[in-house]
Amino acid sequence: MTSPHFVVIGECVADVVRTDGAPDTVHPGGSPANVAYGLARLGLPTALLTQLGDDPYGGLIRAHLESAGVAVLAGPAEGLRTPSAVVRLDGEGRARYTFDIGWTLPAGELPHLPGHLHIGSIAAVTEPGAASVLALVEHWRGRAGVSYDPNVRPALLGGRDEAVRRVERCVGLSDLVKASDEDLAWLYPGRDPEDVARHWLGLGPATVAVTLGPDGAFAVTADGRRSEVPARPVEVADTVGAGDAFTAALLHARHTGAGLDEALTRAAAAAALTVSRPGANPPDAAELAAALEAPASTPN
């Protein structure tokens, strides 16, 4: 394949989706893996530096990623078990996770010159692997763009103060940061999401985007711009992977030269398509283009 412009670094997770009265279903997941898959589905050369076990979950995830064209860069699997999470859906399709995960990425170099690095979620803040992730970012920062999505998992973060310290370190290394209002509410209880976004701008990023669930999304920039977009009306199957689809489409839009307003519009459309169907199933380029051309409609 073409040397990947985008290199995503982070975990893969097998999402075991559990709903009352129905058999379990297993979907390939993990926030960084979902972003890599979403970028590749949109036509961008993408690699994922990750860890996978030599087990059925690992095989499922690898096949899923490679089906979209993602180059999977996974180290030796000996002794590793592919991470998993039980995903419980409430009556509105919102997901809650219980994790069985470890992250021990060893130090190393990338086999390709990246144009852009994306990091996030568990892998960026969970030791011992997080040290390797941040070492790669620090090595390439200034020569490659950097983006970050904290995708907060409170059960894996321990104390809030230490979690904020780790997250803010990643924010400070990034050019673009995307977070959800739920992420910010856990990290900074009681603070307005836009106040937090502007605080993060002061740490170094050029752009901070925040998703607000049914209230849409907004972004603020270091040069004083602000943009917002409403959520697109959709009948929700579940919310698994919606934020990752938003991130992938936002990165794709900015890479292809879209302005901030257009980038948020594309990202919101990608998230809406993803929540309309089960699992982390982001749109490909044709699906996203069709959704953007179609008039918005109210779900039944």
Side-chain angles (χ1 to χ4, degrees), residues 6-89:
F6 280 88
V7 177
V8 181
I9 309 174
E11 74 275 3
C12 296
V13 180
D15 289 336
V16 183
V17 180
R18 186 163 295 165
T19 53
D20 292 339
D24 291 350
T25 57
V26 181
H27 297 287
S31 178
N34 292 342
V35 172
Y37 183 78
L39 286 166
R41 292 263 290 169
L42 292 172
L44 292 176
T46 304
L48 174 68
L49 178 60
T50 190
Q51 293 181 294
L52 286 171
D54 185 14
D55 52 31
Y57 285 165
L60 172 73
I61 292 170
R62 184 182 291 274
H64 169 74
L65 291 166
E66 291 179 346
S67 73
V70 177
V72 180
L73 312 176
E78 184 177 352
L80 291 174
R81 185 174 70 249
T82 300
S84 62
V86 173
V87 185
R88 297 185 183 274
L89 301 177

Side-chain angles (χ1 to χ4, degrees), residues 102-276:
W103 179 248
T104 59
L105 187 74
E109 289 293 331
L110 295 174
H112 307 98
L113 175 68
H116 187 99
L117 292 173
H118 176 76
I119 62 172
S121 199
I122 296 162
V125 295
T126 301
E127 299 297 355
S132 299
V133 174
L134 296 187
L136 285 168
V137 172
E138 288 171 340
H139 176 74
W140 288 105
R141 186 175 182 236
R143 292 177 287 170
V146 180
S147 54
Y148 171 56
D149 178 359
N151 194 41
V152 169
R153 302 303 187 197
L156 301 177
L157 285 176
R160 183 177 281 107
D161 289 347
E162 176 62 15
V164 170
R165 186 190 70 79
R166 289 178 178 272
V167 166
E168 288 191 348
R169 182 183 179 195
C170 296
V171 170
L173 291 171
S174 302
D175 304 300
L176 184 152
V177 179
K178 173 264 171 187
S180 72
D181 54 350
E182 291 182 346
D183 294 334
L184 303 186
W186 188 84
L187 291 166
Y188 307 93
R191 288 183 66 175
D192 179 75
E194 186 163 341
D195 176 57
V196 176
R198 294 189 183 281
H199 164 64
W200 280 4
L201 286 177
L203 301 179
T207 304
V208 176
V210 179
T211 57
L212 305 170
D215 294 323
F218 72 88
V220 290
T221 67
D223 61 4
R225 288 176 294 160
R226 185 188 188 281
S227 181
E228 62 182 304
V229 63
R232 294 173 69 92
V234 65
E235 187 167 339
V236 176
D238 66 49
T239 62
V240 176
D244 304 321
F246 183 100
T247 300
L250 181 67
L251 292 174
H252 174 269
R254 296 299 270 170
H255 172 69
T256 56
L260 191 59
D261 291 349
E262 174 64 20
L264 286 180
T265 297
R266 292 191 204 175
L273 284 167
T274 303
V275 301
S276 72

